[in-house]
């Protein structure tokens, strides 16, 4: 398994070379400002105590409070959290929102916990990190396997410890808890705005474009729905257990119904069962990795047949694979742009909480669209200007913004 933080540093180095970044700024950006490792004892339902290990990495706050989700997964590691916090810094700066980069995680298979255990774990984590977070300091949010309900518990625990309200301490809350309209589908919606811009640039007709989506979580699931509503042909979808494929397109609504009823994607009528690895190598136009890091690697990059890759997951492509894809002229819309819709609406939620406002879903999406469209076009123009990949272009734009705020 490749170390995601090493991958992130390779990406940083590449961008630093392209833009001849000041070497002192480069040195600073190679390290997170602060990382916390905490042990969280949880009383399990059987009365025993189990200790879970959690992290919070605060990478950089030059542009605003540290910002980024909290992931619950058994493979979480400090290096993964550091990498994800670095990508959050780049992501927020790419879309030009007033937020820095942070990320948290707990090593846990949350599917194996009862609701009560999950609640005690989430509250226990906040008890360990609460002095380091706050609406003007570090603002967590959901990530893999964390939900609006968990965000609600975390906000509540934080405010109890603090002694007064601070609703903007955490985003991705349920609407009743001070969440924003549109946050739930924001990541996918942002991805769709990006696809629309890409389609304009490349003169694509949605009904002629075949799309394969890896991942059926909050991001991949909504991507499938929204892109099929836009007329794209969704030919393959997978979840962690496997996937399905029909080269003429899947009926996305029926696929969701089938998964709801059987618990699986496999054995969907009129489709072929496939493995996740197979999905990545299908003959499609747009490949949308929406699951984990390190999916497109030196092992499979030469077998990718898609013409474009929209990275809805964080870090799905390793730097070596990135080079192969670039040589093969496959357009990669990088994670820091493609999936930035989530954190952008998190930023709107934070703004609404801080100003005690409530925006309609329509207002949220109008603002989101304008931010995503502008960021896409800035990245595209930077790519054309320097003849570099979209990832390098996003990094150059983002690092320019962060560097301008670092005083040395
Ligand atoms: N976890 C999401 C991401 O990776 C959202 C973070 C946030 O809303 O702060 O971008």
């Amino acid at each position: 398994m490749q170390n995601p933080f090493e991958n992130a540093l390779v990406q940083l180095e590449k961008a630093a070379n392209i833009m001849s970044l000041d070497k002192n700024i480069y040195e600073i950006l190679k390290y997170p400002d602060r990382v916390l490792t905490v042990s969280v004892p949880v009383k399990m339902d059987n009365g025993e105590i189990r200790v879970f290990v959690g992290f919070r990495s605060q990478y950089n706050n030059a542009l605003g409070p540290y910002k980024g989700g909290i992931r619950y997964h058994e493979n979480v590691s400090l290096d993964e959290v550091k990498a994800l916090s670095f990508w959050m810094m780049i992501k927020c700066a790419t879309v030009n929102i007033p937020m820095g980069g942070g990320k948290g995680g707990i090593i846990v298979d949350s599917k194996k916990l009862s609701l009560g255990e999950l609640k005690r774990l989430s509250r226990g984590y906040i008890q360990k990190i609460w002095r380091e977070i706050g609406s003007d300091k570090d603002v967590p949010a959901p990530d893999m396997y964390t939900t609006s309900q968990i965000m609600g518990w975390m906000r509540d625990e934080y405010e109890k410890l603090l002694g007064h309200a601070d609703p903007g301490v955490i985003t991705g809350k349920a609407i009743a808890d001070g969440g924003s309209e549109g946050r739930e589908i924001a990541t996918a919606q942002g991805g769709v705005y990006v696809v629309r811009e890409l389609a304009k640039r490349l003169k694509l007709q949605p009904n002629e474009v075949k799309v394969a989506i890896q991942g059926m979580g909050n991001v991949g699931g909504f991507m499938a729905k929204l892109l099929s509503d836009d007329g794209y042909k969704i030919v393959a979808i997978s979840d962690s257990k496997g996937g399905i494929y029909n080269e003429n397109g899947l009926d996305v609504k029926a696929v969701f119904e089938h998964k709801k009823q059987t618990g699986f994607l496999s054995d969907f009528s009129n489709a072929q069962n496939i493995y996740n690895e197979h999905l990545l190598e299908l003959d499609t136009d747009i490949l949308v990795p929406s699951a984990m890091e390190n999916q497109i690697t030196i092992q499979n990059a030469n077998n990718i047949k898609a013409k474009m890759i929209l990275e809805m997951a964080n870090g799905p492509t390793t730097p070596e694979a990135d080079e192969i894809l670039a040589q093969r002229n496959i357009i990669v819309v990088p994670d820091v742009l493609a999936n930035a819709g989530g954190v952008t609406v998190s930023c709107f939620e934070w703004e609404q909480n801080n100003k005690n406002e409530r925006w309609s879903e329509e207002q949220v999406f109008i603002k989101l669209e304008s931010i995503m469209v502008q960021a896409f076009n800035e990245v595209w123009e930077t790519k054309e200007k320097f003849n570099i990949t979209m990832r390098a272009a996003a990094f150059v734009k983002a690092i320019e913004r962060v560097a301008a705020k670092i005083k040395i």
Side-chain angles (χ1 to χ4, degrees):
M1 176 75 169
Q2 250 175 295
N3 180 330
F5 190 57
E6 281 169 16
N7 292 350
L9 291 182
V10 173
Q11 295 170 340
L12 173 65
E13 189 187 1
K14 267 193 199 165
N17 287 336
I18 292 168
M19 66 196 288
S20 308
L21 181 65
D22 177 288
K23 81 177 197 327
N24 294 320
I25 303 266
Y26 175 49
E27 186 61 18
I28 290 174
L29 292 181
K30 286 198 293 201
Y31 300 88
D33 282 344
R34 175 190 290 120
V35 290
L36 306 168
T37 300
V38 296
S39 310
V40 186
V42 176
K43 187 159 200 173
M44 306 304 279
D45 291 346
N46 65 7
E48 280 171 19
I49 296 280
R50 238 181 96 187
V51 178
F52 294 88
V53 176
F55 309 101
R56 183 80 188 159
S57 168
Q58 299 180 327
Y59 207 92
N60 181 284
N61 64 352
L63 296 179
Y66 303 104
K67 182 86 196 81
I70 298 169
R71 170 175 295 199
Y72 285 3
H73 196 278
E74 58 211 310
N75 296 338
V76 161
S77 66
L78 182 56
D79 274 336
E80 182 191 51
V81 171
K82 274 161 64 179
L84 290 162
S85 67
F86 169 84
W87 287 322
M88 287 308 300
M89 168 186 75
I90 300 288
K91 193 184 299 188
C92 293
T94 300
V95 289
N96 208 6
I97 55 174
M99 292 282 174
K103 199 81 173 200
I106 300 182
I107 305 172
V108 58
D109 181 354
S110 58
K111 281 178 267 177
K112 295 202 179 120
L113 300 192
S114 70
L115 203 63
E117 290 166 343
L118 198 61
K119 189 199 279 195
R120 294 192 288 281
L121 173 66
S122 305
R123 287 183 179 276
Y125 175 72
I126 293 300
Q127 286 162 14
K128 289 288 169 101
I129 67 161
W130 75 279
R131 285 179 202 280
E132 310 303 334
I133 62 173
S135 58
D136 54 358
K137 214 176 187 181
D138 181 357
V139 183
D143 195 73
M144 286 179 74
Y145 298 106
T146 47
T147 58
S148 57
Q149 186 179 37
I150 294 176
M151 298 304 115
W153 294 327
M154 288 184 168
R155 171 190 165 187
D156 184 63
E157 190 64 32
Y158 176 74
E159 291 181 338
K160 273 186 186 145
L161 293 161
L162 188 69
H164 60 81
D166 187 19
V169 64
I170 202 154
T171 60
K173 303 178 294 285
I175 303 280
D177 277 335
S180 176
E181 297 289 344
R183 175 63 185 85
E184 189 125 25
I185 64 161
T187 309
Q189 188 65 60
V192 169
Y193 294 139
V194 164
V195 172
R196 287 184 192 158
E197 290 309 294
L198 186 69
K200 272 190 222 160
R201 293 275 180 178
L202 302 177
K203 303 194 172 41
L204 306 174
Q205 294 303 326
N207 58 352
E208 292 167 4
V209 177
K210 291 192 270 180
V211 182
I213 301 178
Q214 182 195 40
M216 265 289 261
N218 182 45
V219 179
F222 282 124
M223 265 333 262
K225 280 192 187 142
L226 294 177
L227 285 179
S228 93
D229 288 349
D230 260 20
Y232 288 89
K233 215 190 271 182
I234 313 296
V235 294
I237 309 184
S238 69
D239 62 17
S240 55
K241 296 176 212 100
I244 49 175
Y245 171 56
N246 178 338
E247 62 173 341
N248 298 316
L250 298 159
D251 175 347
V252 171
K253 274 205 185 90
V255 171
F256 274 89
E257 199 46 49
H258 168 77
K259 173 150 180 179
K260 206 166 131 199
Q261 272 168 18
T262 65
F264 294 94
L265 282 172
S266 53
D267 301 331
F268 178 68
S269 56
N270 215 0
Q272 181 190 331
N273 290 341
I274 52 169
Y275 291 111
N276 256 303
E277 305 79 70
H278 184 187
L279 179 135
L280 298 172
E281 297 177 10
L282 288 172
D283 189 4
T284 56
D285 299 295
I286 308 185
L287 173 63
V288 188
S290 317
M292 296 286 283
E293 299 95 87
N294 292 334
Q295 297 301 302
I296 304 173
T297 65
I298 199 160
Q299 262 87 38
N300 61 3
N302 272 310
N303 305 337
I304 303 283
K305 291 175 203 72
K307 298 176 193 73
M308 292 155 270
I309 298 177
L310 182 76
E311 293 186 336
M312 295 305 292
N314 288 313
T317 311
T318 65
E320 299 84 0
D322 226 12
E323 262 171 33
I324 299 174
L325 298 174
Q327 278 158 16
R328 298 184 54 217
N329 289 324
I330 296 175
I331 296 177
V332 180
V333 185
D335 47 6
V336 292
L337 171 65
N339 72 29
V343 72
T344 301
V345 176
S346 269
C347 178
F348 296 163
E349 179 176 335
W350 173 77
E351 234 182 290
Q352 291 171 76
N353 293 154
N354 293 347
K355 296 185 189 153
N356 201 12
E357 289 177 1
R358 283 202 162 279
W359 305 348
S360 67
E361 189 179 77
E362 201 193 345
Q363 281 173 293
V364 166
F365 287 151
I366 288 173
K367 284 175 192 273
L368 176 63
E369 182 171 14
S370 102
I371 286 185
M372 296 305 294
V373 168
Q374 178 162 349
F376 177 91
N377 288 302
E378 280 175 1
V379 169
W380 189 271
E381 278 147 26
T382 307
K383 152 186 120 71
E384 302 276 274
K385 188 167 145 201
F386 295 108
N387 193 21
I388 52 180
T389 63
M390 286 188 83
R391 185 181 328 277
F395 270 60
V396 166
K397 286 278 351 155
I399 293 169
E400 261 170 24
R401 287 181 177 132
V402 174
K405 288 273 184 156
I406 297 179
K407 302 278 170 275
I408 39 175

